[in-house]
């Protein structure tokens, strides 16, 4: 029987998930479909309640439904509970199960793209305190990072995030980002600064350590101004596309029964899409 999954969001037109999962379905010769569904916020609960009757094995969830998806689930795994949002749902004996694979996606990509990043015995600096930052901080803490310095334009959000994760996470004013990130081994931009149509991130990186790794989760454009400057300085850089590709792995395995590979071929396919080729 054809296995079916989808991604829901509002809006959903720009989601790259169908291209990622479609590539894997074709690669592994699986009898399955993966579509995108525009679901209005007021219809999320009804949509999720109808998964089984629609013949769906589960779905990915993107903005603005990640919190509603968690609330609607009967079973929530540790990552979804810690992050407070769900991006991957599936049915198990009729029960709706929820996970958040963003932390897995971020950490797996980091390990592949900057091996040895965790050998640098230094704090991690995280810019931003939104949903993506929550997932990334969770992943970093699970990996054993001992000090995370958070900077956010709206300081209260950084304080709240730090409080919810405990003493290894400290919030500092946005204006102190340059000075307090100097000795960081890893600098991560989780804000939307640097994204196409947004302003670039205003942060001088001249004083960063020579062995620092700079990560941006923005992937349109693939090479943000931050990454271009870090590369020019000779630092190791990690772009945002890898996180998007790796976060899709657990869902595909759950719905379709094969753990898929993130290959250069898949990456090239999505890069071509981003670059409008
Ligand atoms: P996501 O779920 O992708 O993390 P989000 O929750 O909307 O999205 O978070 C966006 C992040 O980008 C926030 O940290 C936001 O800062 P605020 O909490 O102050 O809004 C940050 N951000 C967006 N525009 C910004 C700007 N012009 N300057 C600094 N930070 C900005």
């Amino acid at each position: 029987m054809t296995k079916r999954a989808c991604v829901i969001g509002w809006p959903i037109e720009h989601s790259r998930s169908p291209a990622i999962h479609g590539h894997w379905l074709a690669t592994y010769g699986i009898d399955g479909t993966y579509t995108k569904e525009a679901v209005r916020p007021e219809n999320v609960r009804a949509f999720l309640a109808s998964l089984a009757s629609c013949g769906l094995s589960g779905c990915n969830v993107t903005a603005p439904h990640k919190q509603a998806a968690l609330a609607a689930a009967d079973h929530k795994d540790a990552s979804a509970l810690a992050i407070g949002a769900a991006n991957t749902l599936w049915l198990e004996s009729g029960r709706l199960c929820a996970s958040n694979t963003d932390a897995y996606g971020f950490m797996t990509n980091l390990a592949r793209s900057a091996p040895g990043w965790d050998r640098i015995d230094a704090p991690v600096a995280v810019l931003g305190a939104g949903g993506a930052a929550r997932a990334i901080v969770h992943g970093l803490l699970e990996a054993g990072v001992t000090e995370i310095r958070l900077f956010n334009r709206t300081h209260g959000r950084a304080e709240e995030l730090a409080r919810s994760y405990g003493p290894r996470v400290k919030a500092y004013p946005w204006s102190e980002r340059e000075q307090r990130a100097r000795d960081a081994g890893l600098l991560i931009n989780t804000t939307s600064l640097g994204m196409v149509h947004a302003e670039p991130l205003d942060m001088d990186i001249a004083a960063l350590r020579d062995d620092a790794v700079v990560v941006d989760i923005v992937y349109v454009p693939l090479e943000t101004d931050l990454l271009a400057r870090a590369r020019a300085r000779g630092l190791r850089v990690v772009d945002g596309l890898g996180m998007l590709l790796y976060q899709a792995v657990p869902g595909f395995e759950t719905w379709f029964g094969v753990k898929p590979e993130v290959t250069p071929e898949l990456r090239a396919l999505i890069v071509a899409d981003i670059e409008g080729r």
Side-chain angles (χ1 to χ4, degrees), residues 121-182:
D121 184 20
V124 174
V126 175
L127 307 173
R134 267 201 104 73
I136 289 166
V137 168
H138 172 69
L140 292 167
L141 292 174
E142 290 279 290
V145 168
T146 52
E147 184 184 349
I148 297 173
R149 298 180 184 165
L150 264 183
F151 307 88
N152 195 53
R153 174 181 60 179
T154 309
H155 188 57
R157 275 185 104 187
E159 284 184 318
E160 194 185 314
L161 205 153
R163 227 183 349 262
S164 71
Y165 279 120
R168 285 191 284 162
V169 186
K170 298 185 181 74
Y172 296 100
W174 180 244
S175 58
E176 294 179 12
R177 62 196 181 283
E178 267 170 31
Q179 173 210 340
R180 292 196 186 269
R182 271 179 196 191

Side-chain angles (χ1 to χ4, degrees), residues 63 66 127-134 151-155 157-158 174 189-193 195 198-199 201 217:
K66 291 184 179 184
L127 307 173
R134 267 201 104 73
F151 307 88
N152 195 53
R153 174 181 60 179
T154 309
H155 188 57
R157 275 185 104 187
W174 180 244
N189 175 44
T190 79
T191 74
S192 46
L193 293 167
M195 200 183 271
E199 304 158 44
L201 171 69
I217 69 157

Side-chain angles (χ1 to χ4, degrees), residues 40-264:
R40 290 174 182 276
E42 61 271 28
N43 295 337
V44 172
R45 268 193 177 263
F47 183 90
L48 295 178
S50 72
L51 281 183
S53 61
C54 293
L56 285 156
S57 306
C59 64
N60 277 132
V61 180
T62 188
H65 302 329
K66 291 184 179 184
Q67 279 150 350
L70 181 71
D74 303 308
H75 178 266
K76 307 155 204 222
D77 78 0
S79 64
L81 284 170
I83 297 164
N87 73 341
T88 304
L89 302 176
W90 68 98
L91 290 166
E92 224 171 272
S93 313
R95 279 156 47 96
L96 185 63
C97 301
S99 180
N100 190 312
T101 67
D102 285 335
Y104 166 87
F106 179 84
M107 298 307 296
T108 308
N109 182 52
L110 183 60
R112 301 278 158 91
S113 308
W117 70 270
D118 51 346
R119 285 198 296 270
I120 306 171
D121 184 20
V124 174
V126 175
L127 307 173
R134 267 201 104 73
I136 289 166
V137 168
H138 172 69
L140 292 167
L141 292 174
E142 290 279 290
V145 168
T146 52
E147 184 184 349
I148 297 173
R149 298 180 184 165
L150 264 183
F151 307 88
N152 195 53
R153 174 181 60 179
T154 309
H155 188 57
R157 275 185 104 187
E159 284 184 318
E160 194 185 314
L161 205 153
R163 227 183 349 262
S164 71
Y165 279 120
R168 285 191 284 162
V169 186
K170 298 185 181 74
Y172 296 100
W174 180 244
S175 58
E176 294 179 12
R177 62 196 181 283
E178 267 170 31
Q179 173 210 340
R180 292 196 186 269
R182 271 179 196 191
D183 56 336
L186 193 58
L187 170 69
I188 305 164
N189 175 44
T190 79
T191 74
S192 46
L193 293 167
M195 200 183 271
V196 63
H197 307 313
E199 304 158 44
L201 171 69
D202 174 19
M203 179 168 175
D204 188 352
I205 54 164
L208 286 186
R209 300 160 54 119
D210 291 341
D211 60 354
V213 176
V214 177
V215 189
D216 207 326
I217 69 157
V218 168
Y219 59 88
V220 184
L222 212 45
E223 175 115 324
T224 58
D225 169 68
L226 171 67
L227 294 189
R229 288 187 291 118
R231 200 188 292 280
R233 235 213 74 181
L235 302 178
R236 283 203 288 171
V237 302
V238 179
D239 68 45
L241 180 55
M243 176 182 180
L244 176 76
L245 301 178
Y246 281 102
Q247 64 75 34
V249 169
F252 188 91
E253 184 176 16
T254 303
W255 307 313
F256 301 114
V258 174
K259 184 172 183 186
E261 289 285 330
V262 172
T263 57

